[in-house]
């Protein structure tokens, strides 16, 4: 999965400012290698889903930080981290919660760290991951979560119609004459 | 109703609570209910103008830990205000009346406020031997419970006992103790599980009902969404250690001293919905995991029958727990079908931002 909506290029998609420092994708790659190490110690636990892999999905710039979804065989989290050469994250104690505003609403992020990487602020999407049968579905779910995070609250938070089961009537579509 | 109209505000003023304290109570209640900027004014206005909602508090088979929790509500004012309201009517543990006089209050409330009072139930009724295992005032508790429920507006099931059955309903359940929704079938029941529930959650639920005169929004299990939609595992301050594979392997090992994740020691956080990891206990001082012990899942159905508190969770239907099985039937399928991935992701974010319209089912 690429970095749709947020290239780690020279211009920040959120502020329009020129960007220097480590690209967001590179941060995602560093996280993946840190959690691949952790995965070796998690392999024998019942919460580990061996069908999945550690993957970084959709890492992009957000206020100078790197934001994306980290998928592992035991959790899927939204992750917000500092980039090398980029601005630091606001001071916060390990284990503390801090809130960050996204277009979809205010999200409470938990301040943590992982060996081989350092600090990362996370919000849990799923854990454990027993419900995911294959990496592609996990990636698709992660990408959809990121898109939803950047869609304004009250608008477009509904799942796209084509993904809804046909038998679920969509009142919004009915009222506004969309769909059938 | 025939009863003189008296507002909640008049009652607490009569009890000697100052206007200043009342206003503070309103803002505390509004905050605990997650109401917005105008919340305190809304609460104050409701309590000043609407007739007081009488509360009857009955006790079946229980240990009184719910009452113990409730009267230790962190903010003394909340406790004073709510208790001054409740003790006016009936709570056999803390009211002054006793014996026939106490029983008379039950009947009086039932007649004067028919269809207008809240019945709060702590504990549950045993059904074996025609209910003889719990006698209250010379009669089986189950009879009095049904009688009082029949004329109530709504019922609050305090704690794991009233909500799910708890220890007295654990196998082999010799008295055939049952949760109250097995005997009260025609009234809305708010389940406030926990052993005991968190004091602030209890006062929050009572505060909501007396303020707005209606039930808070409930999930499919009958629990108020505002307090039971978060899973311990998702809001646990030790969660980064779980993610990073750092676990306590034995009591008092190095990991325990460093505050690592307690999953391997049997923590039930991944299958438990409660506000402990955010609201915490004793005025927000701590909660079990913060004190170094795993969550025992006391707010979940049949937590006594799910093996030892120290058994490691092995079967966590992750998707059934976190996503929205109501809409997409994932729990039935047991997995995210390819076409539902987008919906699952969107639903997960909606939960994070508090725009969750469909509370996750229990795992």
């Amino acid at each position: 999965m690429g970095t749709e909506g947020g290239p780690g290029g020279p211009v920040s998609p959120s502020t329009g400012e020129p960007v220097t420092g480590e690209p967001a994708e590179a941060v995602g790659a560093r996280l993946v290698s840190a959690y691949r190490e952790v995965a070796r110690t998690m392999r024998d636990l019942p919460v580990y889903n061996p069908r999945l892999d550690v993957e970084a999905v959709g890492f992009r710039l957000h206020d100078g930080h790197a934001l994306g979804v980290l998928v592992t065989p035991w959790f899927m989290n939204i992750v917000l981290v500092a980039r090398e050469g980029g601005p630091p994250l606001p001071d916060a104690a390990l284990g503390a919660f801090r809130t960050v505003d996204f277009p979809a609403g205010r999200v409470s992020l938990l301040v943590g760290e992982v060996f081989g990487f350092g600090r990362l602020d996370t919000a849990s999407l799923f854990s454990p991951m027993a419900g995911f049968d294959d990496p592609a579905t996990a990636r698709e779910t992660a990408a959809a979560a990121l898109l939803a995070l950047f869609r304004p609250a009250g608008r477009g938070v509904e799942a796209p119609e084509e993904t809804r089961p046909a038998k679920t009537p969509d009142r919004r579509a009915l009222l506004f004459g969309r769909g059938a | 109703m025939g009863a003189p109209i008296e507002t909640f505000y008049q009652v607490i003023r009569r009890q000697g609570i100052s206007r200043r304290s009342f206003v503070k109570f309103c803002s505390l209640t509004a905050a605990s209910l997650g109401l917005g900027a105008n919340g305190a004014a809304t609460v104050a206005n409701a309590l000043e103008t609407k007739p007081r909602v009488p509360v009857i508090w009955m006790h079946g088979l229980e240990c009184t830990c719910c009452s113990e929790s409730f009267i230790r509500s962190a903010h003394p004012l909340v406790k004073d205000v709510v208790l001054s309201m409740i003790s006016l009517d009936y709570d056999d543990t803390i009211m002054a009346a006793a014996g026939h006089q106490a029983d008379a209050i039950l009947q009086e409330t039932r007649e004067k406020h028919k269809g207008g009072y809240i019945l709060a139930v702590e504990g549950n009724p045993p059904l074996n031997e025609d209910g003889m295992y719990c006698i209250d005032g010379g009669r089986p508790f189950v009879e009095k419970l049904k009688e009082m429920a029949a004329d109530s507006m709504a019922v609050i099931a305090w704690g794991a006992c009233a909500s799910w059955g708890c220890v007295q309903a654990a196998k082999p359940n010799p008295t055939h103790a049952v949760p109250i929704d097995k005997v009260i079938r025609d009234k809305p029941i708010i389940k406030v599980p926990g052993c005991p529930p968190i004091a602030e959650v209890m006062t929050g639920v009572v505060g909501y009902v007396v303020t707005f005169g209606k039930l808070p929004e409930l999930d499919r299990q009958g629990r108020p969404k505002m307090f039971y939609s978060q899973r311990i595992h998702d809001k646990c301050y030790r969660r980064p250690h779980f993610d990073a594979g750092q676990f306590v392997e034995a009591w008092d090992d190095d990991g325990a001293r460093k505050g690592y994740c307690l999953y391997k020691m049997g923590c039930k956080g991944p299958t438990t919905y409660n506000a402990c990891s955010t609201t915490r206990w004793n005025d927000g001082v701590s909660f079990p995991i913060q004190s170094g012990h795993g969550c025992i899942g006391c707010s979940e159905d049949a937590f006594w029958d799910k093996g030892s508190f120290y058994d490691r969770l092995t079967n966590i239907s992750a998707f059934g727990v976190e996503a929205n099985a109501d809409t997409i039937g994932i729990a039935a399928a047991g997995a995210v079908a390819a076409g539902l991935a987008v919906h699952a992701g969107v639903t997960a974010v909606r939960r994070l931002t508090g725009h969750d319209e469909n509370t996750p089912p229990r795992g």
Side-chain angles (χ1 to χ4, degrees):
Chain A
M1 188 56 66
T3 55
E4 47 185 304
V11 175
S12 162
S14 53
T15 61
E17 299 285 309
V19 170
T20 56
E22 188 185 21
E25 298 97 321
V27 183
R30 281 201 291 127
L31 276 167
V32 167
S33 64
Y35 278 97
R36 287 229 164 101
E37 281 304 304
V38 176
R40 287 152 34 121
T41 67
M42 295 293 289
R43 209 158 278 167
D44 297 329
L45 293 176
V47 290
Y48 187 92
N49 181 346
R51 288 167 296 198
L52 302 180
D53 194 6
V54 178
E55 296 180 80
V57 178
F59 271 77
R60 79 269 313 266
L61 288 166
H62 182 70
D63 291 341
H65 303 130
L67 176 97
V69 172
L70 190 67
V71 176
T72 73
W74 63 101
F75 70 81
M76 185 193 295
N77 287 348
I78 292 171
V79 177
L80 183 66
V81 290
R83 298 173 304 122
E84 278 171 10
L89 291 166
D91 275 344
L94 286 182
F97 287 91
R98 68 183 190 93
T99 54
V100 176
D101 288 323
F102 292 100
R106 180 163 289 183
V107 173
S108 188
L109 296 177
L110 177 55
V111 178
E113 63 180 5
V114 64
F115 183 76
F117 182 88
R119 174 172 162 186
L120 68 169
D121 296 358
T122 60
S124 173
L125 292 171
F126 301 98
S127 170
M129 297 288 282
F132 292 92
D133 278 345
D134 60 85
T137 309
R139 279 197 300 272
E140 199 185 336
T141 305
L146 271 175
L147 276 177
L149 193 63
F150 286 95
R151 232 173 270 154
R155 246 183 333 116
V157 289
E158 302 290 325
E161 277 152 45
E162 65 270 21
T163 66
R164 291 173 159 258
K167 62 186 173 189
T168 308
D170 186 337
R171 266 186 296 180
R172 179 167 301 202
L174 184 72
L175 290 170
F176 292 94
R178 282 188 273 116
Chain B
M1 292 199 309
I5 302 297
E6 188 177 40
T7 66
F8 178 92
Y9 180 64
Q10 287 167 328
V11 173
I12 63 168
R13 287 308 303 270
R14 204 177 64 226
Q15 299 279 318
I17 291 166
S18 69
R19 170 81 196 171
R20 177 183 288 258
S21 292
F22 169 74
V23 170
K24 193 158 183 203
F25 168 75
C26 292
S27 43
L28 283 168
T29 303
S32 90
L33 297 175
L35 302 176
N38 296 325
T42 308
V43 174
N45 183 51
L47 297 181
E48 281 170 333
T49 54
K50 290 187 184 170
R52 178 182 72 93
V53 179
V55 179
I56 293 285
W57 189 312
M58 294 181 80
H59 301 249
L61 288 186
E62 44 89 351
C63 72
T64 318
C65 75
C66 297
S67 290
E68 291 284 349
S69 173
F70 188 77
I71 63 176
R72 280 161 185 77
S73 181
H75 202 282
L77 184 63
V78 174
K79 168 189 76 185
D80 283 350
V81 170
V82 180
L83 278 182
S84 71
M85 170 181 65
I86 285 175
S87 61
L88 276 173
D89 298 289
Y90 180 92
D91 180 337
D92 50 36
T93 304
I94 54 178
M95 68 184 184
H100 294 300
Q101 193 187 9
D103 255 18
I105 296 173
L106 277 184
Q107 295 313 320
E108 190 188 316
T109 306
R110 204 180 142 204
E111 285 158 22
K112 263 173 62 181
H113 301 280
K114 194 175 170 72
Y117 61 89
I118 300 292
L119 177 65
V121 184
E122 185 174 351
N124 57 28
L127 303 185
N128 267 358
E129 311 293 344
D130 296 323
M132 297 302 270
Y133 288 104
C134 185
I135 298 294
D136 177 346
R139 293 166 61 205
F141 171 67
V142 63
E143 284 181 18
K144 290 178 84 168
L145 177 65
K146 285 181 184 170
E147 202 174 278
M148 290 308 294
D151 290 325
S152 67
M153 172 172 87
V155 180
I156 299 177
W158 286 142
C161 297
S163 299
W164 314 126
C166 205
V167 69
Q168 59 274 44
K171 291 169 188 152
N173 191 2
T175 67
H176 193 200
V178 294
I180 63 168
D181 62 1
K182 294 279 185 275
V183 297
I184 303 172
R185 296 183 176 277
D186 56 347
K187 293 289 169 186
I189 297 179
I190 310 169
K191 290 182 176 174
V192 188
C195 194
I198 302 169
E200 285 70 23
V201 169
M202 300 177 80
T203 50
V205 169
V206 173
Y208 187 94
V209 176
V210 301
T211 301
F212 298 107
K214 64 174 186 182
L215 271 55
E217 197 184 354
L218 306 179
D219 67 12
R220 291 201 308 166
Q221 309 292 320
R223 302 170 296 188
K225 282 187 179 180
M226 63 183 77
F227 299 116
Y228 290 92
S229 59
Q230 289 287 355
R231 193 171 58 140
I232 301 289
H233 184 55
D234 292 324
K235 291 288 175 186
C236 178
Y237 78 105
R238 295 194 185 200
R239 172 62 185 271
H241 294 299
F242 173 90
D243 293 347
Q246 295 169 319
F247 298 99
V248 178
E249 306 276 349
W251 300 118
D252 284 336
D253 70 358
D254 194 45
R257 278 186 280 275
K258 287 179 175 159
Y260 284 178
C261 174
L262 290 154
Y263 162 72
K264 288 187 176 179
M265 303 307 286
C267 181
K268 305 295 186 282
T271 53
T272 304
Y273 284 84
N274 206 335
C276 302
S277 48
T278 46
T279 303
R280 308 197 184 188
W281 290 76
N282 299 321
D283 203 4
V285 167
S286 185
F287 71 114
I289 293 169
Q290 196 175 345
S291 306
H293 191 285
C295 166
I296 62 172
C298 75
S299 53
E300 293 299 309
D301 193 3
F303 80 100
W304 292 97
D305 288 329
K306 289 179 176 163
S308 162
F309 296 157
Y310 304 101
D311 285 348
R312 195 174 299 173
L313 281 173
T314 53
N315 185 18
I316 309 162
S317 56
F319 228 86
V321 181
E322 300 218 38
N324 178 358
D326 265 351
T327 329
I328 53 179
I330 276 172
V336 187
L340 297 175
V342 172
H343 191 98
V346 170
T347 306
V349 166
R350 195 185 289 162
R351 178 173 51 77
L352 288 180
T353 54
H355 297 125
D356 179 16
E357 290 154 24
N358 299 282
T359 300
R362 291 153 30 71

